């Protein structure tokens, strides 16, 4: 177990380092000054600005400084908001983004498993058809199409829910729904396939032969087997949620990390964009590692050598 | 990879199987119709996509000669959707070509060299797979500025991974086949073997994956445009149109509904074609 963890960390840490290095130098190769704006700065002001942000140092030294800071959680100052650090900007958005992400993860998993199980138990009946439609809609429609369409129907036409902003729990319903949909689709598809296979397995056949009730067989014997593969989509699901959060936070005007990221990208606030990309890459790497460990912990057949 | 698919030229047999796949075939026809509309449509449409008509601001569909209505500047939505479709398809094709060039080269080199080099190259691909790619595209557009050409490049530069895997797996299995061994035995030089025996057999699987790469590339472009990082005014793309429509949906819902409809149906159709082609050519993705 420890050996496995060490080896995986031995891959994850160089990867993260490569991501930081690549992103850092890409930003530095960017043409134009980060301080360029409609108003031309006097040369001495620009020189002072560069010195203040350490941009007058050799690139190698800047890189080492950045790396040293990143290890300690300091991602440098924002270039557009003087006095605000990148870590602070991210820290301000994180609670909102986490709330959305966790809610969507829970909803997507619970509803997806329920739908998948129902579909597998009633193949080619209503639940199964419903699952197929959900899968098609969730996988086929990108979030930036579903989000405005849901707002149009439920907020603008029916008036049941607020269109945007952060006011009370009901303002989170639509954003979470948009983020949940693609997750729901992949979870229910995977569960349906896993359940169909589990119901044919020897363990389930034995349990049935022992005369256990249908509910017990399904919940105690088939379900754990069927949902095990779900662990492996943890990483991709998180990546999907992060991507979706850009659209959702933008469209619903929620003050999360995604919104800060898009705003910084539009304003070319290099350090913030760089910081968020590094944070997200680290998050995905950690989640993938976690998924591997969880998989091994749950499946006695997998040995981490 | 079955023997039949690798041996058969990407021709008659595969086409017959594809035709038998009803949804995929209908989807192909639909895609071709849309592509033709995108090419010819703007030429024969009664309005130009950037023609501002003050009296037609937020005109509803079917009124004032605007089949799909008009936008906040009185520009015809049909003309704009056709141009947007054209731009989105162009991004799809060009960025896919970039992805194709990188992916095929990378995969073929890994597959041909084999051994430790192959191991290392594929490990890199595995690592890149785990990262949220759209963020790197955004990083690229921020670093390099916004222009259509750069969007092509940036998206192509991140969408080559699957292509590299396919080509590498295919090359490895072809390398071990009898006809390659026979060619080698009679002394055909390495370069010739690649050109005459390996490259032609890569065609089928690569073709199938091209059709699956196009929709994912278009999705990435629309996503960027939706966030305001893509194509710039007055030019437009389906993603830009959806984004604009979303901002005005309460006064003019048609500005959201029509572009959204065109885009989702096109993406769905392209995916169906890709899946159908993949099945007809019997390609499986290695390493997944």
């Amino acid at each position: 177990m420890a050996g496995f963890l060490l080896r995986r960390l031995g891959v994850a840490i160089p990867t993260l380092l490569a991501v930081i290095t690549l992103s850092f130098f890409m930003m530095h190769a960017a043409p134009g000054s980060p301080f360029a704006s409609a108003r031309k700065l006097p040369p001495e002001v620009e020189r002072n600005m560069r010195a203040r942000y350490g941009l007058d140092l050799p690139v190698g030294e800047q890189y080492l400084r950045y790396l040293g800071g990143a290890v300690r959680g300091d991602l440098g100052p924002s270039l557009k908001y003087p006095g605000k650090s990148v870590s602070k900007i991210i820290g301000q958005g994180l609670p909102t983004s986490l709330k959305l992400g966790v809610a969507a993860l829970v909803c997507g998993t619970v509803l997806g498993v329920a739908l998948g199980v129902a579909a597998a138990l009633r193949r080619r009946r209503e639940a199964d058809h419903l699952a197929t439609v959900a899968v098609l809609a969730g996988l086929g429609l990108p979030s930036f199409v579903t989000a405005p369409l849901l707002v149009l129907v439920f907020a603008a036409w029916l008036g049941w829910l607020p269109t945007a902003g952060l006011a009370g729990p009901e303002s989170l319903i639509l954003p979470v729904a948009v983020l949940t949909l693609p997750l729901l689709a992949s979870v229910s598809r995977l569960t349906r396939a896993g359940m169909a296979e589990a119901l044919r397995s020897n363990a389930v056949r034995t349990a049935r032969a022992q005369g256990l009730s249908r509910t017990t067989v399904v919940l105690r014997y088939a379900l754990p087997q069927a949902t095990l593969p779900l662990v492996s989509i943890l990483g991709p699901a998180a990546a999907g949620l992060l991507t979706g959060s850009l659209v959702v936070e933008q469209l619903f005007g929620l003050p999360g990390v995604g919104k800060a990221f898009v705003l910084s990208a539009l304003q070319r606030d290099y350090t913030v964009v760089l910081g968020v990309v590094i944070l997200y890459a680290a998050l995905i790497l950690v989640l993938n590692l976690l998924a591997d460990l969880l998989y091994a912990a749950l499946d006695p057949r997998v040995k981490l050598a | 990879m079955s023997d039949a698919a690798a041996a058969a030229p990407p021709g008659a047999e595969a086409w017959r199987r594809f035709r038998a796949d009803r949804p995929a075939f209908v989807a192909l026809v639909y895609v071709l119709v849309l592509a033709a509309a995108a090419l010819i449509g703007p030429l024969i449409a009664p309005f130009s996509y950037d023609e501002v008509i003050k009296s037609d601001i937020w005109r509803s569909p079917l009124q004032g000669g605007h089949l799909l209505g008009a936008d906040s500047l009185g520009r015809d939505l049909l003309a704009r959707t056709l141009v947007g479709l054209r731009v989105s398809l162009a991004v799809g094709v060009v960025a896919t070509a970039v992805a194709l060039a990188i992916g095929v080269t990378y995969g073929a080199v890994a597959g041909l060299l084999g051994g430790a080099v192959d191991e290392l190259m594929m490990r890199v691909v595995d690592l890149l797979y785990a990262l949220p790619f759209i963020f790197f595209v955004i990083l690229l557009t921020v670093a390099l500025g916004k222009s259509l050409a750069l969007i092509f490049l940036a998206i192509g530069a991140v969408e080559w991974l699957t292509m590299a895997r396919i080509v590498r797996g295919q090359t490895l299995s072809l390398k071990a086949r009898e006809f390659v061994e026979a060619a080698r035995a009679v002394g055909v030089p390495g370069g010739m073997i690649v050109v005459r025996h390996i490259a032609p057999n890569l065609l089928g699987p690569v073709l199938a994956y091209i059709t699956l790469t196009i929709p994912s590339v278009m999705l990435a472009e629309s996503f960027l445009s939706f966030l305001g990082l893509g194509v710039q005014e007055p030019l437009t793309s389906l993603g830009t149109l959806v984004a604009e429509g979303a901002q005005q949906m309460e006064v003019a819902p048609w500005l959201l509904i029509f572009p959204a409809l065109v885009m989702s149906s096109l993406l769905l159709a392209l995916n169906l074609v890709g899946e159908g082609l993949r099945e007809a050519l019997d390609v499986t993705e290695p390493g997944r």
Side-chain angles (χ1 to χ4, degrees):
Chain A
M1 186 75 170
F4 170 81
L5 193 61
L6 271 179
R7 218 177 28 250
R8 288 303 307 266
L9 278 176
V11 175
I13 291 171
T15 308
L16 193 57
L17 200 64
V19 167
I20 296 176
T21 310
L22 204 70
S23 314
F24 181 87
F25 285 104
M26 211 148 74
M27 280 296 163
H28 264 267
S33 154
F35 305 113
S37 58
R39 209 154 49 91
K40 189 94 182 72
L41 291 171
E44 58 270 28
V45 174
E46 170 141 6
R47 207 174 317 120
N48 281 339
M49 296 270 277
R50 295 189 79 87
R52 185 156 169 256
Y53 290 107
L55 293 175
D56 52 348
L57 299 170
V59 177
E61 198 179 333
Q62 285 188 48
Y63 169 70
L64 289 179
R65 275 186 167 200
Y66 188 82
L67 214 55
V71 172
R72 282 177 277 118
D74 174 15
L75 295 167
S78 156
L79 295 178
K80 298 282 165 176
Y81 296 98
K84 260 196 177 180
S85 73
V86 174
S87 310
K88 192 172 172 205
I89 291 179
I90 291 176
Q92 279 173 343
L94 219 46
T96 309
S97 297
L98 273 181
K99 221 185 296 175
L100 280 175
V102 170
L105 202 59
V106 171
C107 289
T109 312
V110 171
L111 293 176
V113 167
L115 196 60
V117 169
L121 292 178
R122 302 175 183 279
R123 295 189 80 158
R124 283 178 256 292
R125 301 247 295 272
E126 305 82 13
D128 197 13
H129 295 318
L130 185 67
T132 312
V133 171
V135 166
L136 277 180
L139 293 180
L141 293 177
S143 53
F144 56 90
V145 170
T146 50
L149 285 179
L150 283 177
V151 173
L152 184 63
V153 173
F154 290 101
W157 287 349
L158 296 173
W160 292 350
L161 297 164
T163 42
L166 195 56
E170 71 270 17
S171 63
L172 287 179
I173 294 178
L174 281 180
V176 170
V178 172
L179 288 178
T180 301
L181 213 57
L183 192 62
L184 176 75
S186 48
V187 168
S188 68
R189 192 163 66 159
L190 214 58
T191 308
R192 181 178 179 275
M195 199 67 187
E197 204 184 308
L199 287 175
R200 287 194 302 266
S201 72
N202 290 336
V204 167
R205 195 177 310 136
T206 310
R208 234 183 232 148
Q210 286 173 332
L212 296 172
S213 76
R214 188 175 153 85
T215 326
T216 316
V217 171
V218 168
L219 291 183
R220 291 275 307 280
Y221 291 84
L223 195 58
Q225 262 191 69
T227 47
L228 192 61
L230 287 184
V231 173
S232 64
I233 64 164
L234 189 63
L241 286 178
L242 293 179
T243 313
S245 75
L246 296 190
V247 166
V248 163
E249 288 174 12
Q250 180 86 342
L251 194 82
F252 292 95
L254 302 172
V257 179
K259 184 148 191 247
F261 180 69
V262 173
L263 192 68
S264 314
L266 289 169
Q267 297 180 333
R268 310 191 76 182
D269 193 343
Y270 296 123
T271 46
V272 178
V273 173
L274 193 58
V276 175
V277 169
I278 291 170
L279 173 78
Y280 281 0
L283 192 67
I284 299 285
L285 287 172
V286 168
L287 281 173
N288 276 321
L289 190 62
L290 216 62
D292 282 343
L293 290 176
L294 206 60
Y295 202 93
L298 292 176
D299 189 344
R301 286 169 306 183
V302 176
K303 285 221 166 56
L304 299 178
Chain B
M1 170 55 44
S2 86
D3 283 16
E13 172 61 18
W15 175 241
R16 195 191 56 73
R17 263 183 295 185
F18 184 79
R19 289 260 317 254
D21 186 349
R22 254 314 110 173
F25 189 67
V26 172
L28 178 66
V29 172
Y30 181 73
V31 170
L32 290 178
V33 167
L34 279 190
L39 271 182
I40 307 163
L43 304 176
I44 54 172
F47 299 95
S48 155
Y49 75 97
D50 54 358
E51 186 182 347
V52 175
I53 307 171
K54 284 231 174 73
S55 59
D56 281 351
I57 288 174
W58 281 329
R59 183 76 81 159
S60 312
L62 297 176
Q63 284 177 11
H66 300 288
L67 198 59
L68 300 183
D71 71 3
S72 60
L73 295 172
R75 294 177 298 193
D76 183 57
L77 182 61
L78 177 62
R80 287 186 71 70
T81 307
L82 287 173
V83 166
L85 187 62
R86 189 190 257 186
V87 170
S88 290
L89 283 172
V91 174
V93 171
V94 177
T96 301
V98 173
L100 184 71
I102 303 176
V104 169
T105 314
Y106 193 94
V109 167
L112 285 174
L113 293 180
V117 181
D118 172 45
E119 179 74 18
L120 183 72
M121 286 175 83
M122 284 302 118
R123 204 28 75 79
V124 169
V125 169
D126 287 345
L127 289 178
L128 294 178
Y129 250 117
L131 297 170
F133 255 107
I134 197 74
F135 293 95
F136 289 95
V137 177
I138 294 176
L139 198 73
L140 274 174
T141 56
V142 171
L144 302 173
K146 288 175 271 186
S147 83
L148 208 51
L150 286 170
I151 295 172
F152 289 149
L153 265 178
I155 299 176
V158 299
E159 289 280 352
W160 56 273
L161 296 172
T162 307
M163 192 64 84
R165 272 193 180 172
I166 304 283
V167 171
R168 178 251 178 192
Q170 197 66 14
T171 310
L172 272 184
S173 79
L174 284 171
K175 233 171 44 170
R177 295 284 294 275
E178 296 83 357
F179 58 85
V180 173
E181 207 175 311
R184 196 163 285 152
V186 297
V188 179
M192 198 57 145
I193 292 179
V194 172
V195 173
R196 291 286 296 275
H197 298 286
I198 303 217
N201 280 302
L202 285 175
L203 220 65
V206 168
L207 187 70
Y209 268 89
I210 287 176
T211 48
L212 285 175
T213 307
I214 292 176
S216 74
V217 164
M218 286 179 52
L219 196 62
E221 182 275 325
S222 304
F223 187 82
L224 287 182
S225 295
F226 182 87
L227 297 177
L229 293 160
V231 182
Q232 302 296 301
E233 279 283 305
L235 205 61
T236 192
S237 79
L238 291 177
T240 312
L241 286 172
V242 171
E244 286 171 2
Q247 282 155 14
Q248 315 164 37
M249 63 190 160
E250 282 168 61
V251 273
W254 58 89
L255 291 179
L256 168 64
I257 293 172
F258 292 121
L261 218 63
V262 172
M263 186 168 68
S264 0
S265 63
L266 177 61
L267 289 177
L268 178 68
L270 279 168
N271 275 316
L272 282 174
V273 173
E275 289 295 333
L277 214 53
R278 196 159 66 116
E279 261 165 46
L281 292 164
D282 194 19
V283 188
T284 46
E285 188 182 335
R288 265 223 163 154

